[in-house]
Amino acid sequence: MTAMRFDDLEGVYELLGESIDRAGEEKAALFLAKLALLLANELEDPQTVRTAIETALRDL
Amino acid sequence: MRPRGRGELDSLYFEYPRFAAPHRHSNAALERVPVAIVGAGPVGLVAALTLARSGVRSVVFEKKTTFNDGSRAICIARQSYHILDRLGVAEPFIRKSLGWTTGRSFYRGRLILEFEMPHGKDEKFFPMYNLQQQYIERFLWEAASARPEIEFRWASEAQDLRDIDNGVALRVADPGGAYEILADYVLAADGARSALREMRGLRLNGENLEGRYVIADLRMKHDYPTIRRALFDPPCNPGGTVLIHRQPDDIWRVDYQLKPGEDEQEALKENNVRAKVASILSDIAHDGEWELEWWSVYSANTLALDDYRSGRIFFIGDSAHIVPIFGVRGLNNGIADGENIGWKLARVIKGQAGPGLLDSYTPERRGATLDVFAKASKSARFMTPPSYGLKLMRDAALSLALSAPFAGAFANPRQMTPYDYRDSPLTERDDPSFEGGPAPGSVPPGVRLDDGTYLCDLLGEGFTVLHFGAPPSGIESFTRKMRDLDPVFRLVVIGAEGEDSGAIRFAGDPKGECAARFAATPGALYLIRPDMYVAGRWRDDLAGPAAALARILDRKEAA
Ligand SMILES: Cc1cc2nc3c(=O)[nH]c(=O)nc-3n(C[C@H](O)[C@H](O)[C@H](O)COP(=O)(O)OP(=O)(O)OC[C@H]3O[C@@H](n4cnc5c(N)ncnc54)[C@H](O)[C@@H]3O)c2cc1C
């Protein structure tokens, strides 16, 4: 898997922030869970998702 | 503000001088001066020194009788050191200040990012230096008061002004009374609350961003290198940000963010400042003694005038723009304003340039401010996220950075890229055959020469042409023609031998490193402005820079 350019990633960061605001505080978790599922569906290897989940669970 | 029992100027380490009001004869004749500068802050002084370098006289009016209180702007960028260097005043700055290249960001006490600002052997100066603003002002004042072209009038407040034919009449009040003085031009260097701006009925436009910071200086023996530390969500300021900078004289600056809705007056009480500082110090494991020196509050605004010029008045520094502090561009941008208007005005006043040259001041310097706004808003959005969604993303990036290093890059302030003047009316269209090198409008790269000096040391006081390779026939008449336009013009020939003279310097380039940095083949020409921006570049075409210089100087007859 190749990483996105940082400039693009920054754009994604902004868009995510705005979209969370569009979803609203109450629905933010639902929105993000849907998004995670959509992105997972784009991937071939379930292990990639499992590793990402482990990383995201750290330092909460 | 200072601790109870100490006056505004009772510093632990700095002696504030007291300057006397001018002696005036009440029946003195009406004076006329080429330039009146209102405000002896760092920006006004840089402008005065730039004018003086070209032999242009100015009178500086300052309502106070000493320097600004407190350390205020403490980060001076490389570009500003180049300006001080060109003014011949860099030496005391270099001796006193602390140069630095590294920043560290922490999240909840753990390091998430260490960044290095661009630096290398070819750079004459560090990317950043820390120095208290009183020292900046003192060193500038020491240099300025040694110049016969600059007159200081302390305890002298500009109170009113009106346009006259080809100039401005300024009303000034000092302890001896009020009087009028005429000036061909006025530089409004009178700071964020500019009275001249009010007098002209002008307003700063822009936004007030989220985020207020208390800035506090303390004196302590603390063993940590000169590295900027940013603490996100630290135990001492949960949910907020803290910045820590080292300054000379064992002085340390802590900036800490107030919570939205937190009462400013309450936060600024001495006891509360002390308690906060103590908890920050415990976070960074400092258990020695410390003394509180000075504190203040600062908010993140992006405000600027629509036009930095009003008739024969030019606004420079904080009178023209207010930017958030974490971009460290407030003062640095002001210093560049002072040099920019200084070299242009000097040439117009001396009749070496037409008035059109002055039209480039606003687009260039307001453009630089807008660029800072864009960058500062970006870092402000990270430091103090303005919405729930952005706050969540920020916290996610920080938390992720602890185990996935890529996310640490979001915490990099990236404050160093200098603004370029590619859209300036003074900038020539690029020659597309150059593959790399500094494009017109940009600042040329640093180059360390074989003898240990730097390319920038070879540039003249005015415009300079760099010619790569042995000069062609016709170079003498070219140089004469350029000197007719700019009496301090200099030609620097790189990678060829010859005899130095006032107008021509030769620099060896045995390994071709300099040529490589300019993507130059023999015959390449770069026209460099007095403020070290590239105005244009050509190949084998001496007519190119000659026409460009005439155009820049608004001297159509010579073109
Ligand atoms: C409390 C405080 C903290 C700051 N902290 C930081 C920081 O941490 N980092 C940072 O980058 N920047 C900081 N700044 C901003 C920085 O100090 C300014 O960007 C810088 O001083 C601008 O310089 P200047 O010469 O344009 O204006 P100033 O330094 O404000 O100088 C203006 C001068 O004009 C004089 N004056 C005003 N009106 C008149 C008049 N009518 N007649 C005669 N004289 C007049 C004033 O007395 C003053 O000396 C801070 C500013 C303040 C006030």
Side-chain angles (χ1 to χ4, degrees), chain B residues 83-99:
Chain B
I83 293 174
L84 299 171
D85 196 28
R86 286 196 280 281
L87 293 174
V89 305
E91 209 268 330
F93 288 87
I94 293 166
R95 220 175 334 117
K96 185 78 190 175
S97 61
L98 304 172

Side-chain angles (χ1 to χ4, degrees), chain B residues 160-410:
Chain B
D160 204 0
L161 51 76
R162 62 191 169 83
D163 291 325
I164 54 168
D165 271 353
N166 301 320
V168 175
L170 196 64
R171 191 171 177 75
V172 178
D174 67 16
Y179 61 99
E180 211 170 54
I181 182 167
L182 310 183
D184 297 342
Y185 294 92
V186 171
L187 299 182
D190 54 346
R193 297 214 181 87
S194 172
L196 269 60
R197 209 172 56 214
E198 293 281 301
M199 291 170 203
R200 291 307 254 205
L202 301 173
R203 285 183 39 142
L204 296 173
N205 291 317
E207 281 179 82
N208 298 316
L209 301 178
E210 282 296 319
R212 292 162 303 157
Y213 283 78
V214 172
I215 59 179
D217 276 0
L218 26 142
R219 183 163 71 177
M220 62 179 178
K221 293 269 181 223
H222 177 60
D223 192 17
Y224 200 84
T226 309
I227 286 179
R228 167 198 187 268
R229 280 178 281 181
L231 317 181
F232 293 100
D233 198 13
C236 59
N237 203 27
T241 307
V242 174
L243 299 174
I244 304 171
H245 276 287
R246 178 180 203 144
Q247 305 171 54
D249 297 336
D250 286 323
I251 302 295
W252 293 77
R253 159 73 64 83
V254 298
D255 299 23
Y256 56 88
Q257 190 190 343
L258 297 180
K259 297 205 173 36
E262 192 172 342
D263 181 11
E264 204 169 284
Q265 294 313 315
E266 197 55 30
L268 285 174
K269 287 188 179 151
E270 182 175 340
N271 282 343
N272 294 329
V273 174
R274 282 186 186 280
K276 193 57 142 190
V277 168
S279 75
I280 292 171
L281 294 183
S282 107
D283 265 17
I284 59 169
H286 175 85
D287 46 20
E289 313 237 301
W290 59 276
E291 293 162 279
L292 191 55
E293 153 72 2
W294 172 85
W295 69 91
S296 182
V297 66
Y298 204 96
S299 50
N301 298 320
T302 50
L303 298 168
L305 285 175
D306 295 335
D307 191 343
Y308 287 7
R309 175 182 188 172
S310 167
R312 289 186 161 238
I313 304 165
F314 293 88
F315 290 85
I316 60 179
D318 276 18
S319 70
H321 49 75
I322 298 176
V323 305
I325 50 175
F326 27 74
V328 300
R329 284 306 172 94
L331 180 55
N332 289 301
N333 246 3
I335 288 174
D337 294 348
E339 188 195 36
N340 191 293
I341 194 62
W343 73 259
K344 292 173 182 172
L345 203 49
R347 280 162 178 78
V348 171
I349 287 173
K350 291 166 78 183
Q352 295 165 0
L357 178 59
L358 302 175
D359 295 338
S360 60
Y361 172 66
T362 291
E364 291 188 349
R365 297 312 307 157
R366 186 166 184 276
T369 302
L370 298 183
D371 182 57
V372 174
F373 286 0
K375 292 192 177 110
S377 313
K378 215 169 182 181
S379 48
R381 281 158 85 81
F382 195 81
M383 306 285 270
T384 52
S387 75
Y388 172 78
L390 286 167
K391 171 93 167 52
L392 197 57
M393 287 309 297
R394 201 280 304 261
D395 292 347
L398 289 170
S399 166
L400 198 53
L402 290 172
S403 48
F406 83 90
F410 287 108

Side-chain angles (χ1 to χ4, degrees), chain A residues 6-7 9-14 16-18 20-21 24-26 28-29 32 52 55-56 58-60, chain B residues 107-108 110 378 381-382 387-390 392-395 397 399-400 402-404 406-407 409-410 414:
Chain A
F6 187 71
D7 278 2
L9 195 61
E10 255 190 327
V12 170
Y13 173 104
E14 286 286 320
L16 282 170
E18 285 161 24
I20 294 167
D21 286 329
E25 228 173 298
E26 232 159 69
L32 289 171
T55 309
R58 271 181 235 151
D59 306 300
L60 287 179
Chain B
Y107 176 57
R108 294 185 181 163
R110 287 164 63 189
K378 215 169 182 181
R381 281 158 85 81
F382 195 81
S387 75
Y388 172 78
L390 286 167
L392 197 57
M393 287 309 297
R394 201 280 304 261
D395 292 347
S399 166
L400 198 53
L402 290 172
S403 48
F406 83 90
F410 287 108
R414 283 156 288 160

Side-chain angles (χ1 to χ4, degrees), chain B residues 38-39 41-43 61-64 68 72-73 133 156-158 189-191 195 215 253 296 298 317-318 325 330-331:
Chain B
V38 180
V43 175
F61 299 93
E62 169 57 56
K63 66 180 176 189
K64 294 190 281 73
N68 282 308
R72 297 190 177 195
Q133 190 169 325
S156 300
E157 180 176 5
D190 54 346
I215 59 179
R253 159 73 64 83
S296 182
Y298 204 96
D318 276 18
I325 50 175
L331 180 55

